[in-house]
Amino acid sequence: METARDPKSLISIVIPVYNEALSLPGLFDRLGEVLAVLGRPYEVIMVDDGSKDGSFDKIVELAKGRPVTAIRLKRNFGQTAALSAGIEQAKGEIIVTLDSDLENDPRDIPLLLKKMDEGFDVVSGWRQARWKGSFLSRKLPSVAANWLISTLSGVPLHDYGCTLKAYRADLVKGVVLYGDMHRFIPAYASWQGGVVAEVPVSYAPRLHGKSNYGMGRIIRVLLDLVVVVFMHKYMNRPMHFFGGWGLVSFSAGAFFGALSIVLKIMELRDFVETPLPLWSALFIIVGVQMVMFGVVGEMLMRTYYESQGRRPYVVKDKVAVS
Ligand code: UDP
Ligand code: MG
């Protein structure tokens, strides 16, 4: 954790917008209210993710006279891409993200900032009131998904899906986000040595329009989780994963082969009487293939790091003591 930071540093507020023209006036009202009493410099970055309902014009209209940058993506690229675009443009030392449909309340922003000022690197909102009244169909899957992400990532949070979060800019700018993976930023940040906190935030159901996601999201989140955790554990050493399982498979194949030979010599079973020779061949081939996969993985990993001058570590401080 960093030491407490300058409370006068610039705050960038990044908001993805997809067909939210009806929610935007309320959003600007509340943002205006809270930012007026924030007592620190801020910028708002609204990213229109290819809306078809005139959201962009609405943003430009509402933003008159305020420090707002409006970005418009060429088409709908998805919430993660919209957030990335905004984060890339942000100039602040702290970046706060939130939804534009008013499910997050801008009035919670000072809560997150207060926690950030204590020196945390990421502060995640926790919408305690979400899914009231639909326990089995929505709340239970959400609790289970958050538990699974927490367990596998080693970063315990109740609400990975909450967009209302604050990040130290240099940490979040270093994360390249693919697919739907913005929800995993706290895990990435923690793996890089960042310290993550959680604060309860308010939650209000959408008044206008409807959610862009259905139940299918749970499956996508779980698949993303596999990728994220795998990358975290084995990105630097693919051979340890593929090679390890390859050796297990190869050993099993060798064992089945030896067993079939012993049975043959002792005249207990002929080769064609047991599945052992087939298993042996199968497991040995799979084992060799997996070790080869590991080699290919190592080559890819080296290309990745060396072509971009990347380092497999993050330096915190460097002091030349004389
Ligand atoms: N969003 C976006 N691009 C998309 C889908 C959503 O920028 O393709 C924005 C949307 O305007 C909202 C936020 O992402 O501000 C969350 O979307 P939504 O409310 O549909 O998701 P949920 O609240 O159900 O998680
Ligand atoms: Mg929403």
Side-chain angles (χ1 to χ4, degrees):
M1 185 154 58
E2 299 291 301
T3 44
R5 66 177 59 78
D6 179 9
K8 290 282 167 240
S9 53
L10 179 70
I11 312 291
S12 298
I13 296 164
V14 173
I15 309 179
V17 180
Y18 183 54
N19 295 340
E20 309 279 9
L22 293 176
S23 300
L24 288 171
L27 178 71
F28 271 86
D29 281 351
R30 288 203 200 166
L31 263 179
E33 242 172 69
V34 67
L35 294 175
V37 294
L38 200 59
R40 52 206 287 176
Y42 64 85
E43 59 167 358
V44 178
I45 299 175
M46 310 281 298
V47 186
D48 174 26
D49 186 17
S51 298
K52 294 171 194 75
D53 69 342
S55 288
F56 188 75
D57 296 337
K58 195 90 199 158
I59 293 170
V60 173
E61 176 197 323
L62 291 163
K64 288 224 165 66
R66 310 185 206 221
V68 173
T69 306
I71 297 171
R72 183 186 208 169
L73 303 187
K74 271 227 171 204
R75 63 165 171 85
N76 178 238
F77 283 93
Q79 191 186 351
T80 300
L83 284 167
S84 300
I87 288 169
E88 197 180 328
Q89 298 289 325
K91 292 188 276 298
E93 216 172 285
I94 292 177
I95 297 178
V96 176
T97 58
L98 76 151
D99 283 344
S100 51
D101 57 2
L102 290 173
E103 291 197 69
N104 295 140
D105 190 341
R107 289 175 288 203
D108 286 328
I109 293 174
L111 271 178
L112 301 194
L113 294 180
K114 188 164 161 274
K115 203 78 190 163
M116 288 298 284
D117 286 342
E118 289 173 22
F120 288 95
D121 300 295
V122 177
V123 177
S124 174
W126 170 16
R127 299 161 298 180
Q128 286 179 325
R130 205 179 198 207
W131 308 137
K132 259 192 187 152
S134 45
F135 181 78
L136 270 184
S137 63
R138 306 306 295 263
K139 176 135 188 152
L140 197 66
S142 156
V143 169
N146 279 295
W147 174 83
L148 193 68
I149 301 174
S150 299
T151 309
L152 290 184
S153 67
V155 185
L157 286 181
H158 291 92
D159 196 359
Y160 269 91
C162 179
T163 309
L164 182 55
K165 290 184 163 80
Y167 310 94
R168 221 180 71 210
D170 54 349
L171 247 173
V172 64
K173 279 176 183 264
V175 183
V176 186
L177 297 173
Y178 300 96
D180 265 357
M181 299 194 183
H182 65 272
R183 69 189 63 246
F184 297 116
I185 302 175
Y188 282 114
S190 170
W191 295 335
Q192 301 287 316
V195 186
V196 182
E198 188 170 53
V199 292
V201 294
S202 53
Y203 169 76
R206 238 179 204 281
L207 284 179
H208 307 287
K210 59 177 179 33
S211 170
N212 292 285
Y213 305 98
M215 293 294 277
R217 170 160 65 186
I218 297 215
I219 306 209
R220 290 206 303 277
V221 168
L222 294 181
L223 292 175
D224 283 347
L225 179 64
V226 174
V227 176
V228 168
V229 170
F230 179 84
M231 286 299 203
H232 166 52
K233 289 218 165 102
Y234 295 107
M235 171 84 190
N236 290 336
R237 47 192 187 100
M239 188 54 154
H240 288 185
F241 179 81
F242 291 107
W245 285 107
L247 287 184
V248 169
S249 179
F250 188 90
S251 311
F255 172 75
F256 293 138
L259 191 61
S260 67
I261 292 171
V262 170
L263 291 176
K264 163 90 181 163
I265 291 172
M266 293 173 71
E267 294 186 343
L268 290 171
R269 288 276 191 285
D270 216 344
F271 283 140
V272 289
E273 286 179 283
T274 70
L276 289 173
L278 180 69
W279 287 0
S280 171
L282 198 69
F283 279 89
I284 287 177
I285 292 171
V286 168
V288 171
Q289 293 277 11
M290 295 223 12
V291 172
M292 289 298 143
F293 262 149
V295 174
V296 175
E298 291 283 328
M299 288 160 68
L300 285 176
M301 181 268 289
R302 275 151 223 243
T303 313
Y304 170 74
Y305 279 106
E306 289 167 25
S307 65
Q308 307 190 29
R310 282 183 182 259
R311 293 286 172 269
Y313 51 76
V314 185
V315 175
K316 184 167 182 184
D317 289 313
K318 185 169 127 185
V319 183
V321 183
S322 49

